[in-house]
Amino acid sequence: MSKRKRSIDLLPLNYPSVDPSGSFDDNYEILNSIEEGTYGVVSRGVNVHTKAVVAIKAVRPDTYSRGLTITSLREISVLKQVRHQNIVNLIEVVAGPTAGKVYLVMEFVEHDLGALIRSYSQNRPLFMSEIKTILSQILSGTQALHNHWIMHRDLKTANILMTNKGIVKIADLGLARKYGDELYKYTTTVVTVTYRAPEVFFTNGDYGPEIDMWSIGCIFAELLSKDGSSLFRSHQELGVVQEIFDKIGVPTAQSWPDFRTLPNNKIVRVPKNPPEPTLLQLVPRATAQGKDLLHKLLALDPSKRITASAALNHAFFTSESPPPKHPTQFPSFPSRGKLDATPTTTSPTTAT
């Protein structure tokens, strides 16, 4: 078998074969580790021929088949299918020195949004023009996925990257799935619990791309916060459900007409006389149109939740002042993997 091209064995039949385009050892060198997750280790690397810096994801093999996991296959499939400036670019798939060892070579993106928000909160809150720029790019990348009938299913600030030129990139698409078959039920073990839409809790997998819009609503609230904290704090499912009721509101005949018909509607008691939702108290910086968009993203009823396309045309972006800041006007930061995350240039003094 050729060292430069090795087929991956034992792939699920419903996925196309993945043929690495070359050998890792012949083309790339690891510089330093960035992060380690459930499905692989991501490192900063360099192409030894072009000297281009790249991100290299060493994919964990499936425990039983020794081939690629379904999660890795999904990520490769989506990244090959959807090419967009706000989705991380897959450069190539290369084979490692041993059978079944595979690396995804992607464009290197300097920062993750969660770390940047926390870094900003130590100095100053994000300007509203910066929030609009970041959020509009997240929506644009999500719209591209939805236009291809793909839902991400794990949008959160840790999976949103940003370049030193202010360009946002959606990453970590291992949980992405095609949607559109109304008879198909999906797994409910998706989306980090603090970004998980209510219909995932209350149904047995009967959900669609609206769950991504809820996650974006959570990200929007995080961008608006003064300290970079998550909208929902509990790490337990029932705890998050209770927080949703407290902060967004309880399901009513008006806010979610079908709620009482959902199979898991009794997992938590819905109070008869709930207090006023606290959402707007948590985001006092939100503008009038920002509040309206946030409510539409965090609508309890998925059928009433705003789409990515409609959100991009919302007055928050199109007519309310200030307009989105041009991405190149963002300050630059040290790359991921470095301990110091403070801005390397000062920002304009006018808050926009």
Side-chain angles (χ1 to χ4, degrees):
M1 184 178 294
S2 170
K3 179 182 179 183
R4 298 190 59 83
K5 190 168 185 178
R6 180 186 296 116
S7 295
I8 307 303
D9 297 327
L10 302 174
L11 303 185
L13 296 178
N14 57 330
Y15 283 89
S17 177
V18 177
D19 289 320
S21 58
S23 165
F24 176 83
D25 292 345
D26 290 345
N27 296 287
Y28 296 98
E29 178 182 330
I30 297 291
L31 298 177
N32 62 280
S33 177
I34 298 174
E35 61 182 349
E36 182 172 357
T38 304
Y39 303 110
V41 179
V42 181
S43 303
R44 188 168 67 99
V46 63
N47 185 306
V48 297
H49 306 293
T50 66
K51 306 305 178 184
V53 176
V54 295
I56 298 171
K57 185 172 185 177
V59 178
R60 297 188 191 282
D62 181 79
T63 304
Y64 301 102
S65 71
R66 297 178 292 105
L68 289 180
T69 63
I70 292 178
T71 299
S72 298
L73 288 167
R74 286 174 181 162
E75 183 166 26
I76 294 169
S77 175
V78 172
L79 290 176
K80 284 186 173 183
Q81 183 179 354
V82 187
R83 300 286 184 175
H84 189 273
Q85 67 172 354
N86 297 126
I87 297 175
V88 69
N89 181 45
L90 175 66
I91 298 171
E92 63 177 339
V93 181
V94 294
T98 58
K101 189 69 172 179
V102 176
Y103 298 89
L104 310 188
V105 181
M106 297 172 282
E107 63 177 319
F108 177 72
V109 186
E110 290 85 359
H111 318 290
D112 79 73
L113 184 58
L116 278 187
I117 294 174
R118 292 188 294 274
S119 175
Y120 263 101
S121 67
Q122 296 172 9
N123 298 277
R124 62 161 176 83
L126 285 163
F127 295 151
M128 195 58 63
S129 60
E130 295 169 339
I131 291 174
K132 290 183 178 183
T133 300
I134 293 170
L135 188 64
S136 64
Q137 293 183 82
I138 296 172
L139 287 165
S140 183
T142 303
Q143 179 187 39
L145 290 172
H146 292 179
N147 285 345
H148 284 80
W149 298 86
I150 294 169
M151 48 185 167
H152 187 285
R153 301 201 303 174
D154 197 21
L155 287 173
K156 56 184 177 181
T157 54
N159 288 345
I160 307 293
L161 309 180
M162 195 166 95
T163 73
N164 268 334
K165 295 182 179 180
I167 304 299
V168 167
K169 305 279 186 177
I170 294 174
D172 291 320
L173 290 112
L175 288 177
R177 284 295 303 268
K178 283 276 190 179
Y179 66 89
D181 186 345
E182 295 182 355
L183 299 178
Y184 193 85
K185 303 296 182 183
Y186 303 100
T187 178
T188 57
T189 55
V190 293
V191 190
T192 300
V193 68
T194 48
Y195 296 84
R196 190 176 297 171
E199 62 267 30
V200 181
F201 296 112
F202 293 111
T203 69
N204 293 323
D206 185 13
Y207 59 78
E210 298 85 6
I211 68 171
D212 288 342
M213 304 313 298
W214 176 276
S215 298
I216 292 174
C218 296
I219 293 170
F220 187 17
E222 204 166 326
L223 290 168
L224 289 168
S225 69
K226 290 184 177 180
D227 59 359
S229 58
S230 300
L231 176 58
F232 304 112
R233 310 287 184 86
S234 177
H235 297 293
Q236 304 297 322
E237 292 187 354
L238 292 182
V240 171
V241 170
Q242 189 59 59
E243 284 192 83
I244 290 173
F245 288 175
D246 292 342
K247 296 175 181 179
I248 310 302
V250 300
T252 66
Q254 292 73 39
S255 67
W256 198 351
D258 295 334
F259 176 75
R260 292 296 179 186
T261 68
L262 302 179
N264 301 327
N265 75 83
K266 295 182 180 179
I267 62 172
V268 64
R269 186 179 67 84
V270 178
K272 293 182 178 180
N273 299 299
E276 284 294 313
T278 61
L279 175 63
L280 296 184
Q281 299 173 27
L282 301 173
V283 289
R285 301 174 56 230
T287 62
Q289 292 299 334
K291 293 174 184 176
D292 183 74
L293 177 58
L294 187 60
H295 277 304
K296 289 177 177 177
L297 287 166
L298 295 175
L300 291 176
D301 186 345
S303 69
K304 297 179 179 180
R305 211 168 293 151
I306 195 169
T307 65
S309 177
L312 283 167
N313 289 301
H314 192 276
F316 178 67
F317 300 112
T318 61
S319 60
E320 187 183 60
S321 183
K325 176 181 285 189
H326 194 278
T328 58
Q329 295 178 352
F330 276 78
S332 60
F333 294 79
S335 297
R336 285 186 294 164
K338 295 186 179 180
L339 295 178
D340 182 13
T342 55
T344 58
T345 62
T346 56
S347 300
T349 56
T350 303
T352 56

